[in-house]
């Protein structure tokens, strides 16, 4: 469609817009609630580390220049960028028993990345690694990250199977005192929080959870001891799976082939597009020029933002379903909005047509069709998901936008009907776009004695999403809070990690042992973020997945930088190049200490 076709010109579009609003209203009125899982208590078993092993070491009590918390991509990239900046005095702490982050925890059957490996796996040019497929499976990603730690000499500085329990700023020593569950105590000049945004499971707060007498677990702690490595133990089991988001879409085809009966509980259908996968052409890969990975990463994001014509270097289904309409550049803002709405109509109708072409039962097909705007939920890509519902042992239990009524001793209840199962699997995803103090799961007490969690309770405040006033030498890498969002998180992580390393080296060169943003610099950035935040229109678009604090019609808590990733990257680089750190950061050692 072109910019001359407006939504008002199409009665069919008006009909769909009304359907979207109706579907949204159902979910607003009966939203899932999630319960936190503590290390102790009745539900602690759901959060246990399935891959833990014995670690025999003495507690560490020492000083360190930088303590990195997190052994996933954010933490590893931060370590690499510290090394490139000449910072060798660092240690890394990770609660998992190996590297990988979300790829350590998520090992469910069918797990793979939904963005291509050539742009997702960091430092491919430096390591020389060739991904086996375009869209890499989870085991390969985890193995690559473990090898990455070895390649950049991070492993020997790392303490795995170690959970941070407290981080408190010591104003006299000008250091973070960090303690762990293994009795460690680090006195760290800098504390760097490395992501962790997708390792925390979202566990639904459904009545009766404690009453189920069968076996149950969360998809991010897959229990292969129960299911069997090839799911062979499920051949005589009735399995219930709650959740049809990106995780459920990958799991369901595997369960469908092995379980005696599979009951899929769907609250909201996903937009499931094709996955254009295949083995890597090694000759093509070897022919790529220096700098190819950064160019490919940027091209992918620019196409999705409409800054580069489709299909771009990546040319995958992301750019098809989420890419903006083709424009001439002479359109008015109203015409651009109309063209985007028309493109939304085209892409979502294509997705719904694909369901009709794939599903033999019209009633099942109707229930699987998504009725929301294409960017409301993360798109998924799978060639086996829809055909799984043609199998006689697979039963779609659509809740029509409601929560599950309750869990019983024998199964679960939807719409007053009880479904008896032997096993319940919660494929309800992970906490996404969380603030670092949430994903870190430990208290962070700053210079004035306040907790970061309390300071951010009613809205994030930061400088560039990387530092916060009153929390000296605290650096946050990998969160989208106050940062430029991307579909693939790698680019922001690379930029933020390099920025953190620059702050450390610049302060060190100036002989300043502790820095934090000035109130004026932090306030200026927060105002800029708020100014560019999108207006919240409660009459249309998306069902919110998490509680959002709204002030004057704009979401200010955990909001991203509305200027986009490339403007955000430019701001960080200009800030480094023009020496803004001298005016925007203040020497904590010269501030009066609290009494």
């Amino acid at each position: 469609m072109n910019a001359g076709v407006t939504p008002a010109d199409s009665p069919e579009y008006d009909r769909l817009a009304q359907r979207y609003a109706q579907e949204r209203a159902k979910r607003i009125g009966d939203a899932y609630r999630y319960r936190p899982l503590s290390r102790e208590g009745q539900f602690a078993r759901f959060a246990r580390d399935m891959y833990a092993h014995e670690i025999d070491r003495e507690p560490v009590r020492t000083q360190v220049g930088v303590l990195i918390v997190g052994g996933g991509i954010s933490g590893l990239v931060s370590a690499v960028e510290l090394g490139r900046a000449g910072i060798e005095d660092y240690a890394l702490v990770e609660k998992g028993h190996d590297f990988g982050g979300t790829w350590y925890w998520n090992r469910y059957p069918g797990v793979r990345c939904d963005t291509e490996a050539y742009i997702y796996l960091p430092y491919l040019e430096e390591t020389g690694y060739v991904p086996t497929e375009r869209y890499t499976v989870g085991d390969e990603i985890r193995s690559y990250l473990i090898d990455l730690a070895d390649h950049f000499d991070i492993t020997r500085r790392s303490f795995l199977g170690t959970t941070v329990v407290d981080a408190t700023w010591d104003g006299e020593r000008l250091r973070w005192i960090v303690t762990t569950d293994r009795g460690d105590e680090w006195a760290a000049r800098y504390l760097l929080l490395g992501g962790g945004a997708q390792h925390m499971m979202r566990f639904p707060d459904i009545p009766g959870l404690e009453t189920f007498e069968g076996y149950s677990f969360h998809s991010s702690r897959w229990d292969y001891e129960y299911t069997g490595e090839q799911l062979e133990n499920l051949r005589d089991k009735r399995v219930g799976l709650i959740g049809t988001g990106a995780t459920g879409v990958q799991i369901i085809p595997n369960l469908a082939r092995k379980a005696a009966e599979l009951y899929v509980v769907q609250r909201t259908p996903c937009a499931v597009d094709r996955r254009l996968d295949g083995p890597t052409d090694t000759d093509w890969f070897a022919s790529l020029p220096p700098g190819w990975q950064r160019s490919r990463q940027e091209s992918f994001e620019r196409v999705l933002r409409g800054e580069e014509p489709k299909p771009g270097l990546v040319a995958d289904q992301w750019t098809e379903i989420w890419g903006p309409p083709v424009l001439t550049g002479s359109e008015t803002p109203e015409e651009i909005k109309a063209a985007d709405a028309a493109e939304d109509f085209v892409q979502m109708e294509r997705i719904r047509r694909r369901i009709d072409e794939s599903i033999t039962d019209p009633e099942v097909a109707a229930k699987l069709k998504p009725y929301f705007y294409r960017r409301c939920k993360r798109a998924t890509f799978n060639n086996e998901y829809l055909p799984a519902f043609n199998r006689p042992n697979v039963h779609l239990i659509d809740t029509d936008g409601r929560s599950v009524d309750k869990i019983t001793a024998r199964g679960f209840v939807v719409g007053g009907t009880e479904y008896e199962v032997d096993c319940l699997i919660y494929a309800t995803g992970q906490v996404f776009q969380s603030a670092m103090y949430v994903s870190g799961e430990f208290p962070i007490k700053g210079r004035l004695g306040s907790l970061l969690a309390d300071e951010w309770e009613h809205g994030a405040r930061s400088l560039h999403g990387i530092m916060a006033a009153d929390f000296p030498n605290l650096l946050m890498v990998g969160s989208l809070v106050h940062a430029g969002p991307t579909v693939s998180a790698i680019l922001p992580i690379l930029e933020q990690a390099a920025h953190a390393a620059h702050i450390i080296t610049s302060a060190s060169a100036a002989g300043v042992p502790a820095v934090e943003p000035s109130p004026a610099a932090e306030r200026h950035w927060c105002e800029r973020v708020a100014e560019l935040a999108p207006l919240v229109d409660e009459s249309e678009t998306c069902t919110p997945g998490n509680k959002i604090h709204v002030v004057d019609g704009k979401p200010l808590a955990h909001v991203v930088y509305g200027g986009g990733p490339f403007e955000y990257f430019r701001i960080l680089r200009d800030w480094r190049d023009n020496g803004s750190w001298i005016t925007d950061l203040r020497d904590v050692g010269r501030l009066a200490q609290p009494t």
Side-chain angles (χ1 to χ4, degrees):
M1 288 203 179
N2 57 51
V5 179
T6 66
D9 293 332
S10 171
E12 191 173 3
Y13 184 89
D14 289 341
R15 177 183 58 80
L16 275 175
Q18 293 176 8
R19 176 69 183 273
Y20 288 3
Q22 291 168 358
E23 295 295 328
R24 179 178 184 273
K26 295 176 186 177
R27 291 156 180 82
I28 288 288
D30 187 16
Y32 264 127
R33 291 177 174 83
Y34 298 93
R35 66 171 64 192
L37 297 179
S38 62
R39 297 185 184 95
E40 299 178 354
Q42 184 175 6
F43 298 101
R45 70 176 184 85
F46 285 102
R48 71 189 186 279
D49 187 347
M50 308 296 295
Y51 313 103
H53 55 267
E54 187 67 30
I55 295 178
D56 184 19
R57 68 170 178 84
E58 294 297 317
V60 175
R61 296 178 178 270
T62 188
Q63 297 190 66
V64 67
V66 185
L67 184 66
I68 301 170
V69 180
I73 291 179
S74 295
L76 292 173
V77 167
S78 297
V80 172
E81 295 303 319
L82 289 179
R84 287 179 164 179
I87 303 168
E88 299 293 337
D89 183 20
Y90 71 83
L92 184 149
V93 176
E94 162 59 38
K95 76 173 185 178
H97 282 61
D98 215 329
F99 300 102
T102 188
W103 302 104
Y104 172 85
W105 300 106
N106 287 277
R107 306 194 196 187
Y108 56 80
V111 61
R112 70 170 66 230
C113 191
D114 61 6
T115 53
E116 68 165 27
Y118 317 134
I119 62 176
Y120 183 78
L121 297 179
Y123 306 118
L124 286 177
E125 289 186 75
E126 290 84 346
T127 63
Y129 182 78
V130 181
T132 58
E133 295 178 89
R134 188 180 187 188
Y135 299 97
T136 318
V137 298
D139 284 348
E140 183 173 351
I141 297 172
R142 187 175 65 258
S143 295
Y144 175 75
L145 295 176
I146 293 170
D147 291 342
L148 186 75
D150 287 338
H151 181 90
F152 287 102
D153 200 25
I154 301 169
T155 305
R156 69 178 178 87
R157 298 178 171 93
S158 299
F159 298 83
L160 304 175
T162 302
T163 301
V164 172
V165 296
D166 185 81
T168 299
W169 176 255
D170 185 328
E172 293 185 0
R173 300 168 66 183
L174 298 180
R175 287 183 177 270
W176 284 98
I177 307 304
V178 181
T179 57
T180 77
D181 63 345
R182 293 188 172 274
D184 306 313
E185 182 177 292
W186 273 280
R189 180 70 69 192
Y190 287 86
L191 176 61
L192 192 154
L193 305 180
Q198 293 189 60
H199 82 283
M200 292 174 59
M201 67 182 69
R202 294 203 310 176
F203 202 82
D205 193 9
I206 304 173
L209 274 171
E210 67 283 355
T211 67
F212 183 58
E213 295 176 356
Y215 197 79
S216 58
F217 57 88
H218 192 275
S219 59
S220 67
R221 304 293 189 273
W222 195 273
D223 194 337
Y224 282 103
E225 185 175 340
Y226 176 83
T227 66
E229 290 295 324
Q230 304 300 321
L231 310 185
E232 66 275 7
N233 296 346
L234 301 180
R235 61 182 176 270
D236 60 348
K237 297 290 192 298
R238 299 165 299 174
V239 178
L241 183 130
I242 299 176
T244 54
T247 299
V249 166
Q250 293 183 336
I251 293 173
I252 287 165
N254 298 276
L255 289 178
R257 288 191 291 268
K258 296 299 178 72
E261 302 290 336
L262 174 62
Y263 296 87
V264 177
V265 181
Q266 170 187 272
R267 181 169 180 265
T268 302
C270 251
V272 184
D273 209 341
R274 299 176 299 158
R275 188 180 72 237
L276 304 178
D277 208 353
T280 299
D281 183 335
T282 54
D283 291 337
W284 163 78
F285 197 88
S287 72
L288 294 171
W292 68 266
Q293 188 175 35
R294 180 72 185 206
S295 296
R296 195 172 184 88
Q297 290 166 334
E298 291 189 357
S299 173
F300 177 70
E301 298 295 343
R302 291 189 187 281
V303 169
L304 289 179
R305 293 186 60 80
E307 299 175 13
E308 185 175 305
K310 291 190 288 189
L313 294 177
V314 177
D316 67 354
Q317 289 305 105
W318 269 115
T319 56
E320 178 70 14
I321 189 172
W322 266 22
V326 177
L327 302 172
T328 65
S330 61
E331 292 83 2
T332 66
E334 291 75 17
E335 288 175 328
I336 293 173
K337 184 177 180 180
D340 192 66
E343 183 70 14
D344 191 290
F345 178 94
V346 169
Q347 293 300 330
M348 292 305 288
E349 278 293 280
R350 179 177 64 81
I351 293 297
R352 288 187 284 266
R353 260 195 326 272
R354 182 170 182 258
I355 294 169
D356 284 329
E357 295 165 357
S358 303
I359 302 296
T360 56
D361 186 333
E363 291 187 8
V364 173
K367 293 176 181 178
L368 287 169
K369 290 181 180 179
Y371 286 95
F372 48 76
Y373 296 94
R374 58 190 170 134
R375 298 190 186 98
C376 282
K377 288 172 65 72
R378 188 176 179 92
T380 61
F381 308 92
N382 198 290
N383 300 330
E384 301 172 311
Y385 176 73
L386 294 175
F389 289 94
N390 292 327
R391 301 178 67 96
N393 65 320
V394 177
H395 314 282
L396 178 63
I397 312 301
D398 182 62
T399 70
D400 196 27
R402 301 187 303 273
S403 303
V404 172
D405 296 350
K406 62 181 178 179
I407 305 296
T408 68
R410 297 185 298 270
F412 61 91
V413 177
V414 171
T417 300
E418 183 180 33
Y419 299 88
E420 295 187 9
V421 294
D422 303 298
C423 173
L424 265 178
I425 302 171
Y426 297 94
T428 46
Q430 290 80 44
V431 176
F432 179 69
Q433 198 175 315
S434 63
M436 292 295 189
Y437 70 82
V438 174
S439 59
E441 301 177 281
F442 57 89
I444 301 172
K445 186 180 293 185
R447 181 173 57 84
L448 301 180
S450 59
L451 297 177
L452 187 59
D454 293 338
E455 292 293 314
W456 281 22
E457 182 181 3
H458 297 294
R461 58 175 184 82
S462 78
L463 177 60
H464 303 144
I466 297 174
M467 299 190 79
D470 303 326
F471 292 85
N473 289 4
L474 178 67
L475 301 164
M476 296 172 278
V477 173
S479 170
L480 291 182
V481 177
H482 285 189
T486 56
V487 171
S488 175
I490 302 306
L491 277 176
I493 291 171
L494 289 167
E495 292 289 340
Q496 290 180 334
H499 196 71
H502 172 86
I503 291 170
I504 296 172
T505 55
S506 297
S508 177
V512 181
V515 292
E516 68 179 36
S518 69
E522 184 182 72
R523 183 171 59 253
H524 174 73
W525 181 249
C526 289
E527 289 172 351
R528 186 167 186 174
V529 169
E531 179 184 357
L532 293 175
L535 285 169
V536 176
D537 187 345
E538 293 294 337
S539 67
E540 62 173 8
T541 64
C542 307
T543 303
N546 296 291
K547 184 178 180 182
I548 300 174
H549 296 283
V550 177
V551 178
D552 296 330
K554 293 187 176 184
L556 299 182
H558 307 172
V559 73
V560 297
Y561 176 69
F566 296 106
E567 183 174 299
Y568 174 70
F569 301 160
R570 178 184 58 76
I571 289 170
L572 294 186
R573 291 171 185 172
D574 289 348
W575 190 89
R576 298 195 296 265
D577 292 344
N578 63 24
S580 291
W581 78 272
I582 297 174
T583 55
D584 285 353
L585 302 184
R586 56 183 180 176
D587 182 351
V588 172
R590 297 184 180 183
L591 299 177
Q593 297 301 315
T595 58

